[in-house]
Amino acid sequence: MCATNSFLRTLGVEIYASGHRRWSDTAKAQAVADTLEVGATVNAVAERYGILPNQLSAWRRQAKQGKLLLPAPDADAPLFAPLVVSAGPEEAPEALTVPNEAIRLIFGEIAIELPLQTSASRIAEIAHALEASSC
């Protein structure tokens, strides 16, 4: 128990004298990311973090819904991102004809151009922020 608490504190989990724990989004995201490793199971990761598997599954659902931003994977690992295809406007606007010198994010009337060197995690953060602001 002491080793688990020490491990959790390094992740930023607040542990109170009553035994209650307050999980930061960063700690939740790390636990979810651990379940995505090859060979990992929700039950094994939940046991390592000292939580119930259904709690970890709830955090996984939040991540899938975009409510919990996962840490960037190792640079050596292949990156995958969800792709959403929707019917675009009937005529392609002129703004879409950009040379391959930039990454362009279009969200409704908003168009953002980013340098090609922009990291995938930064692009994901911007897309998440754009989606969150659409409420």
Side-chain angles (χ1 to χ4, degrees), residues 3-4 7-8 21 30-31 34-35 37 40-51:
T4 300
F7 166 68
L8 294 177
R21 294 180 280 187
Q30 184 59 52
D34 287 355
T35 66
E37 303 233 346
T41 64
V42 171
N43 287 342
V45 173
E47 185 176 338
R48 183 175 347 134
Y49 282 83
I51 58 175

Side-chain angles (χ1 to χ4, degrees), residues 25-26 28-29 58-70 128 131-132 135:
D25 284 344
T26 305
K28 291 177 187 179
W59 294 344
R60 285 170 51 104
R61 266 191 306 281
Q62 287 178 341
K64 286 179 184 176
Q65 295 168 351
K67 297 177 183 176
L68 185 63
L69 186 61
L70 298 183
H128 186 265
E131 186 176 52
C135 296

Side-chain angles (χ1 to χ4, degrees), residues 85-93 96:
V85 179
S86 62
E90 291 181 18
E91 294 181 22
L96 292 178

